Amino acid sequence: MTDTPESCFHCGEPVPDGAHYPIHYQERVEPTCCLGCQAVAQTIIGSGNADYYRLRTDLPKTAEAALEELKNLKLYDLPEVQQSFVKNDGDLREAHLILEGIVCGACVWLNERHLHSLPGVLAADINFSTRRARIRWDDSRIHLSDILASIQHIGYLAYPFDSSRQEDLFRKERNTAIRRLAIAGLGMMQVMMYAVPVYLAHEDTMANDIEALMRMASLILTTPVVFYSAWPFFQGAWRDLKLKRAGMDVPVALGIGAAYAASVYGTFVGAEHVYFDSVTMFVFFLLTGRFLEMNARKRSAEAAESLIKLIPAAAVKLPGFPATREEENIAAAKLVPGDFVLVGPGASFPADGAVAEGHASVDESLLTGESHPVAKHAGSPIIGGTLNLDSPLVMKVEKVGADTVLSGIVRLLDRALAEKPRLAMVADRVASWFVLALLIVAASVAIIWYFVDASRAFWITVSVLVVSCPCALALATPAALTAALGRLTRVGLLSTRGHALETLAHATDFVFDKTGTLTTGEFSLLDMAVVRGSRDQALSFARALEQGATHPVAAALREAAGDTALNAEALQYHPGQGIEGTINGQVYRLGAPDFVAATPPIAQLPGGATLIGLADGEGVLAWFALGDAARPQAKQLIADLKALNVNLHLYSGDRPENVAALARELGIADARGGMLPRDKLEAVKAMQREGRIVAMTGDGVNDAPVLAQAQVSIAVDLGAEAAQAAADMVLLSSEIGRLADGVQLARKTQTIIRQNLAWSVIYNAIAIPAAALGHVTPWLAGIGMSLSSLLVVLNAMRLAKPGRREDS
């Protein structure tokens, strides 16, 4: 006698052997059949709706029924559920959703228009390449469950964004597309086997009953192609017509449906012409184009999507650290600030924090574009999603979930992908009217050909309906922007506004801040001149004197000197001048030239540097030149921007002589020092009054006003939140040379967009008249329409190809 298998507590299906997905319900453990049912049940119970299982009168019959029950509970409106994916600001809410059923640019247009019509929805932006929607709403006027139900009402399915679920959606769509394509391909080949003999047979050489048999066989083979393979076109057309809108699927469905219906009629009444071969061919070619386009779109969005997958799903928590090192495996989403986690070699950090123990090299390239591993030790900051390369580290968690740097980057990138630049909005408006105009043209063509040659009127009208392609027009800009923004993100230059690339491409002037932008922002020893003794001895004396000081000069001298066994005693600080102390019985002074009573050898030391002297009772021992060194790539950046015919300006609040020295080193003609934020603001306004397009690059809070004033702005310091908020782009890495890459890519993007728009216009301007004149058959029209959209996407994908600097 065999044991009766356990039933799933949620759906009632048998629990497979070896499946272990328990849930806790009313102080007992219940089995579920899969991870999905476990997650749904835990959500229901954890959100305070456990009575659902006590009160329900029947088990859900299907997955769809289970989903409907969840919707009736309005789980998505519960604060506990929304906590993981909704950003709250009082009654104002923002969420990122996945939309299932999006197949073309017209679908995006339809959903955006529908969402904007809902009372309480403040913004709705959908990215075609990623299928992600960014929705903002007023929760006092409309709830998230109402928005999701409204989307379902027009034939689509929306749910909270989850990277693994998005992958599942893509696999599901891809597998379905392959099945539809396979049936269309097999049907086309078989129908052509019956059609070719009829075409080749001379008059009266084929018996009528044989021809009728072949037509009947073609009908049988074409029917699954129309009602399975081509079904998405009919679904889309019906959805559009119910909403009294003319989407791209309407003319395609009209063409396929009319040709099939006429052929069925012709088969039974013995008409002269049937079009089964044309129907199967253009369904096959349309599906082929969509399938290739879907894969190309997926690849173009991979760089942006890869960011979301950087955070690992699990983490190793050390609940007793530092007293014990007992390990506990938990979901990364359950970490809270203050937890300690162990991250081994080859693992990713699950949250933002700081190193509590250990030292290792960390790869930040996928997140910031930094090309070299970064050394980390106790106290070093860690960004969640970066990769530990060589040694175990214990990290103290400081920020989790939506508060992490990675989440902030993803939000900014989503905003940039969702916001439409001027060219995209123009293309959308044109595409929205295109289909209506096409239907009018097709009707006119049918009427004219009916009087010219009625026998050709039908298939010429079908060709006109099928050959047009507003999708290519609608895809021209978003496909290029998705590929370009993904590539920029991969190299560490994050675009946060939709207009940034378009404006950057036309920038005539680049304004740079000095400290922290073209320089490292850290005081360091640039050079030294030894008068007596040795270099190492002078540095050791300086370190001993500055051993307890916290100012930047002291830190720079200690960093340059390294470890020393010397200790200074009887230290006396002289504010604004220097420090005096005794080392091995000898009195030493370290400070400004006046403090050490000597004149520095200015000719031997870098201009614009801060000069510090070291002296004993007999006089000066050495001079130290300290300053904020230029970033390693700054000089090459300036040279690259000059080659791009961009005017360069250096505006800084630093001393004029220091600014002038850096400008001479880098080759910037217009350099101004001692400027307050309002001075920089007025200088930028003056250039704008002359008709120039200004790109401003800065790093700090004091740069926020001028960053906001410039037509396009780049914040260099990831940590300066005010600068980020005002900036249109953020440089995530220390490699400032990426800015030149950004300008080049922005200009190339504009070129690609114009090429795509020009191709869309030229194609339709040639294809529609050619079809109307009877020079394009229905199957050839299907090829033309598919290739038009595909060419736009493939052309945009050229932007995703890495440059030489990225490969290095």
Side-chain angles (χ1 to χ4, degrees):
M1 180 176 176
T2 58
D3 294 333
T4 303
E6 291 182 303
S7 296
C8 175
F9 179 68
H10 176 69
C11 71
E13 293 295 319
V15 176
D17 293 337
H20 184 65
Y21 302 103
I23 60 164
H24 295 276
Y25 172 70
Q26 294 183 346
E27 299 183 354
R28 66 178 188 267
V29 177
E30 297 285 358
T32 57
C33 63
C34 64
L35 188 61
C37 283
Q38 182 190 45
V40 171
Q42 287 175 339
T43 300
I44 292 173
I45 296 168
S47 61
N49 289 282
D51 282 347
Y52 161 75
Y53 292 108
R54 180 174 61 84
L55 299 173
R56 67 181 178 180
T57 58
D58 195 10
L59 292 170
K61 305 295 187 296
T62 62
E64 288 76 17
L67 182 61
E68 188 60 37
E69 289 184 1
L70 288 179
K71 287 177 180 173
N72 292 336
L73 291 171
K74 296 195 172 183
L75 286 180
Y76 289 127
D77 293 335
L78 296 172
E80 301 93 328
V81 177
Q82 291 190 2
Q83 185 177 4
S84 62
F85 68 94
V86 175
K87 184 179 179 183
N88 293 337
D89 184 9
D91 283 332
L92 298 182
R93 308 287 172 89
E94 180 176 316
H96 293 276
L97 308 175
I98 303 176
L99 259 64
E100 188 172 340
I102 298 289
V103 295
C104 68
C107 297
V108 172
W109 174 82
L110 171 64
N111 276 275
E112 287 182 343
R113 286 286 297 271
H114 180 71
L115 288 169
H116 283 134
S117 70
L118 299 177
V121 173
L122 307 177
D125 302 296
I126 301 169
N127 179 259
F128 176 62
S129 296
T130 63
R131 311 291 180 83
R132 287 221 302 276
R134 181 175 67 98
I135 299 176
R136 294 181 66 244
W137 73 96
D138 184 345
D139 202 56
S140 65
R141 300 174 61 194
I142 189 170
H143 297 308
L144 179 58
S145 59
D146 300 324
I147 296 173
L148 299 179
S150 177
I151 294 172
Q152 187 181 24
H153 178 69
I154 63 171
Y156 298 87
L157 183 63
Y159 37 80
F161 173 76
D162 177 80
S163 59
S164 61
R165 194 168 184 178
Q166 187 177 38
E167 285 296 317
D168 291 341
L169 171 61
F170 176 74
R171 280 194 294 269
K172 175 184 171 184
E173 289 183 345
R174 189 174 185 274
N175 292 338
T176 302
I178 290 173
R179 286 195 297 271
R180 294 189 193 278
L181 185 60
I183 289 187
L186 289 171
M188 179 191 69
M189 289 187 290
Q190 294 299 317
V191 169
M192 287 303 297
M193 287 176 61
Y194 295 119
V196 170
V198 176
Y199 289 143
L200 296 180
H202 296 292
E203 190 175 355
D204 298 329
T205 59
M206 179 176 288
N208 290 336
D209 57 342
I210 297 298
E211 183 175 353
L213 179 62
M214 289 187 171
R215 286 187 174 188
M216 187 58 67
S218 297
L219 168 61
I220 294 170
L221 291 166
T222 302
T223 298
V225 174
V226 171
F227 290 100
Y228 177 71
S229 296
W231 191 244
F233 299 114
F234 294 106
Q235 281 183 316
W238 177 242
R239 183 169 54 219
D240 292 337
L241 293 174
K242 281 197 303 182
L243 296 170
K244 299 179 181 178
R245 293 166 179 162
M248 187 53 235
D249 286 329
V250 172
V252 173
L254 278 175
I256 295 172
Y260 177 75
S263 300
V264 172
Y265 176 79
T267 299
F268 288 104
V269 302
E272 183 179 355
H273 297 291
V274 293
Y275 308 96
F276 293 122
D277 54 332
S278 294
V279 170
T280 55
M281 286 182 75
F282 67 68
V283 168
F284 174 75
F285 288 125
L286 285 173
L287 291 177
T288 300
R290 258 189 197 184
F291 180 73
L292 295 174
E293 179 189 322
M294 177 177 66
N295 285 295
R297 187 181 66 241
K298 168 70 174 169
R299 286 196 297 273
S300 72
E302 276 179 351
E305 293 301 300
S306 64
L307 284 176
I308 300 164
K309 303 172 187 174
L310 291 178
I311 294 290
V316 180
K317 182 180 175 182
L318 303 178
F321 185 86
T324 67
R325 303 188 69 90
E326 180 182 353
E327 298 180 4
E328 177 186 349
N329 291 314
I330 67 167
K334 293 185 178 180
L335 291 173
V336 296
D339 285 345
F340 289 90
V341 294
L342 176 65
V343 181
S348 297
F349 292 93
D352 289 358
V355 177
E357 180 183 281
H359 55 85
S361 296
V362 173
D363 182 2
E364 299 181 347
S365 60
L366 286 176
L367 188 61
T368 68
E370 195 76 46
S371 57
H372 302 291
V374 180
K376 301 289 183 179
H377 49 76
S380 296
I382 293 291
I383 301 175
T386 54
L387 182 66
N388 184 8
L389 293 178
D390 44 32
S391 300
L393 287 179
V394 176
M395 181 188 77
K396 182 179 181 180
V397 175
E398 295 177 348
K399 293 181 179 180
V400 297
D403 297 327
T404 62
V405 170
L406 179 60
S407 295
I409 290 172
V410 171
R411 281 196 300 273
L412 292 174
L413 182 59
D414 281 340
R415 184 175 71 183
L417 286 169
E419 290 180 353
K420 291 181 172 65
R422 180 179 52 83
L423 280 174
M425 290 189 288
V426 171
D428 283 350
R429 284 196 294 270
V430 172
S432 65
W433 288 100
F434 184 94
V435 174
L436 183 59
L438 172 67
L439 294 175
I440 295 172
V441 168
S444 302
V445 167
I447 294 170
I448 293 170
W449 273 100
Y450 178 79
F451 293 104
V452 174
D453 185 350
S455 64
R456 301 179 63 194
F458 179 77
W459 70 261
I460 289 176
T461 304
V462 170
S463 296
V464 171
L465 288 171
V466 174
V467 78
S468 62
C469 194
C471 279
L473 189 63
L475 288 174
T477 300
L481 284 178
T482 301
L485 293 178
R487 177 173 159 195
L488 280 179
T489 303
R490 190 167 55 240
V491 301
L493 185 58
L494 177 67
S495 178
T496 68
R497 298 288 182 185
H499 75 87
L501 272 181
E502 184 177 3
T503 311
L504 185 64
H506 299 104
T508 59
D509 293 73
F510 248 89
V511 177
F512 290 97
D513 179 42
K514 172 183 172 287
T515 306
T517 301
L518 290 178
T519 64
T520 60
E522 299 175 357
F523 239 58
S524 62
L525 180 63
L526 303 180
D527 200 358
M528 63 182 291
V530 178
V531 180
R532 289 186 291 119
S534 68
R535 174 188 173 90
D536 291 343
Q537 185 183 46
L539 286 170
S540 295
F541 288 153
R543 177 183 176 83
L545 291 168
E546 296 282 19
Q547 58 189 333
T550 58
H551 55 81
V553 169
L557 288 172
R558 287 198 300 269
E559 180 72 22
D563 295 330
T564 179
L566 296 177
N567 286 307
E569 300 173 342
L571 294 172
Q572 297 180 30
Y573 294 93
H574 301 266
Q577 298 182 60
I579 187 171
E580 182 179 342
T582 302
I583 302 175
N584 295 333
Q586 177 74 35
V587 177
Y588 292 89
R589 282 189 160 205
L590 180 71
D594 291 343
F595 184 65
V596 297
T599 301
I602 295 176
Q604 300 178 29
L605 297 169
T610 299
L611 301 181
I612 301 295
L614 173 67
D616 58 12
E618 299 179 12
V620 173
L621 293 170
W623 290 99
F624 304 99
L626 297 124
D628 190 11
R631 290 180 185 258
Q633 295 183 337
K635 195 165 187 176
Q636 185 61 49
L637 168 66
I638 300 303
D640 290 343
L641 290 177
K642 283 183 176 179
L644 294 170
N645 296 317
V646 176
N647 301 313
L648 302 173
H649 313 268
L650 177 57
Y651 296 163
S652 175
D654 200 357
R655 291 186 303 166
E657 58 268 27
N658 291 353
V659 176
L662 180 64
R664 284 194 300 272
E665 179 186 348
L666 299 181
I668 300 176
D670 181 20
R672 308 180 198 179
M675 298 183 76
L676 298 174
R678 64 172 178 269
D679 299 326
K680 297 181 184 179
L681 194 62
E682 286 303 319
V684 168
K685 287 181 178 179
M687 284 189 282
Q688 290 173 331
R689 284 193 291 270
E690 296 174 5
R692 303 186 196 181
I693 298 176
V694 180
M696 173 67 196
T697 308
D699 74 309
V701 174
N702 63 322
D703 291 319
V706 70
L707 286 169
Q709 176 63 36
Q711 282 100 328
V712 62
S713 51
I714 303 104
V716 174
D717 185 1
L718 185 62
E721 294 184 5
Q724 275 193 53
D728 303 310
M729 307 181 84
V730 180
L731 182 67
L732 302 178
S733 77
S734 62
E735 298 182 7
I736 198 170
R738 301 298 190 186
L739 294 180
D741 295 340
V743 175
Q744 290 177 316
L745 185 61
R747 293 182 179 182
K748 186 176 180 181
T749 301
Q750 292 304 300
T751 301
I752 294 290
I753 289 174
R754 290 193 180 94
Q755 288 174 351
N756 284 348
L757 290 173
W759 161 251
S760 302
V761 171
I762 292 170
Y763 166 80
N764 284 293
I766 295 174
I768 293 176
L773 292 172
H775 301 308
V776 180
T777 59
W779 65 267
L780 188 59
I783 295 177
M785 178 190 173
S786 303
L787 290 181
S788 181
S789 292
L790 183 60
L791 183 63
V792 164
V793 175
L794 292 177
N795 191 39
M797 283 184 63
R798 294 195 295 130
L799 292 166
K801 184 179 179 182
R804 284 176 297 177
R805 196 199 301 264
E806 296 164 53
D807 292 329
S808 60

